[in-house]
Amino acid sequence: FEGETKTREMSALDRQEQYRKQLTADIAHELRTPLTAIRSHLEAMAEGLWEATPERLNSCVEEVKRLGSLVVDLDRLAKLEQENVRLNLTDVDLMETVRAVCGNFEKEADNKNIGISIEGSVSGIQADKDRVTQVITNLLSNAIKYTPPGGHIRVHVKDEGTNGIVVVEDDGIGISQKDLPYIFERFYRTDQSRNRKTGGAGIGLTIAKSIVDAHNGRITAESAEGTGSRFTVVFPKSE
Ligand code: ADP
């Protein structure tokens, strides 16, 4: 029996090792593009080929900021993906959490003339409140990012049997059927998001999924290009 356990441990370690190699390769790939851009712009200015205008310097600052938030996201992801994520379980009221997160985004949504409505009922679950907040934050942040001005976001909290459910629905740009199966993968971004300045690093949904998985829950996405997206998170009320 000892041997059996050992084999299992080995393969888990192998998987970890494989995962780390892939992660390192992915990070290197993600860092290369912005670093190359910043370097060539700064060099052109240092060599006097380009005048160092505030606009050019600012675009370098923006790139550096993007790198900074990429590192913050990576750090979060690394912490989550360590074996044995320790959840700090307490009673969490999903409706209250949804209201708090929506409150945080009120100004951002207003600035973009996007309406947010909250519906549903109270639903209490056993969960890690900060992490549940992170999941809803990432979904709402995406909904605002990928919904054009004048759009609408609807957040629905449902209490169904042994589950508490949060649905975040927008009438934004949507996700093509080709991209939909991959959006929870690390660094995956659709072309629409890559082409936009506001696009993130493609880690937000990966973080959300890790958190939901750690709670033995489920996160799914439905979408139609040009019509909008709907993300559904199902949390078991208790383990
Ligand atoms: P990012 O930081 O780039 O937003 P995410 O992991 O949060 O990364 O999302 C991955 C990709 O899924 C995004 O780049 C975007 O292409 C797509 N996406 C996520 N949420 C939405 C949404 N509400 N509407 C349209 N596309 C979305």
Side-chain angles (χ1 to χ4, degrees):
F1 290 99
E2 219 173 80
E4 196 184 325
T5 316
K6 218 170 191 175
T7 324
R8 223 176 273 151
E9 270 171 15
M10 282 299 286
S11 72
L13 274 178
D14 282 350
R15 248 183 290 126
Q16 272 287 65
E17 180 61 21
Q18 183 64 36
Y19 174 78
R20 289 225 174 85
K21 281 188 184 144
Q22 187 58 46
L23 181 61
T24 311
D26 287 352
I27 293 170
H29 176 83
E30 288 301 311
L31 294 180
R32 200 174 298 126
T33 313
L35 279 175
T36 306
I38 296 165
R39 179 179 164 181
S40 66
H41 292 172
L42 288 177
E43 274 177 354
M45 290 187 264
E47 287 164 12
L49 294 172
W50 275 13
E51 195 189 333
T53 60
E55 290 76 34
R56 283 179 179 147
L57 288 171
N58 256 326
S59 111
C60 288
V61 171
E62 287 307 315
E63 284 292 300
V64 171
K65 278 194 195 154
R66 257 176 36 81
L67 280 176
S69 55
L70 173 62
V71 171
V72 170
D73 280 352
L74 280 172
D75 193 43
R76 271 203 194 116
L77 188 62
K79 286 203 179 102
L80 282 168
E81 289 187 340
Q82 276 163 10
E83 301 270 285
N84 322 318
V85 179
R86 279 234 232 108
L87 296 177
N88 178 19
L89 296 180
T90 59
D91 290 331
V92 177
D93 177 347
L94 276 181
M95 183 51 106
E96 188 189 303
T97 312
V98 160
R99 283 193 197 286
V101 175
C102 289
N104 291 340
F105 280 104
E106 208 177 317
K107 194 144 174 281
E108 199 179 325
D110 262 7
N111 288 343
K112 231 182 139 178
N113 190 27
I114 291 174
I116 301 180
S117 60
I118 305 171
E119 300 164 26
S121 55
V122 168
S123 182
I125 60 169
Q126 278 273 308
D128 187 320
K129 189 171 180 187
D130 289 345
R131 293 200 158 119
V132 171
T133 301
Q134 183 74 56
V135 172
I136 301 168
T137 299
N138 291 5
L139 294 180
L140 211 61
S141 151
N142 279 346
I144 294 176
K145 242 191 314 193
Y146 301 111
T147 298
H152 197 89
I153 297 166
R154 178 173 158 266
V155 188
H156 201 151
V157 179
K158 295 189 241 183
D159 187 83
E160 278 184 10
T162 56
N163 297 319
I165 301 171
V166 179
V167 181
V168 179
E169 204 177 297
D170 65 61
D171 55 8
I173 64 172
I175 303 163
S176 72
Q177 298 309 302
K178 160 177 91 62
D179 288 313
L180 205 50
Y182 306 107
I183 54 168
F184 294 101
E185 281 178 19
R186 194 169 63 216
F187 300 125
Y188 193 85
R189 281 170 293 177
T190 66
D191 288 341
Q192 282 100 320
S193 147
R194 278 180 191 279
N195 297 338
R196 292 154 63 102
K197 273 207 152 146
T198 48
I203 307 183
L205 288 178
T206 314
I207 290 176
K209 187 171 177 344
S210 305
I211 294 174
V212 175
D213 286 348
H215 283 85
N216 293 321
R218 270 194 331 271
I219 180 165
T220 50
E222 301 153 81
S223 189
E225 220 173 347
T227 307
S229 312
R230 179 192 299 135
F231 287 83
T232 304
V233 189
V234 179
F235 286 108
K237 284 183 185 169
S238 59
E239 310 268 319

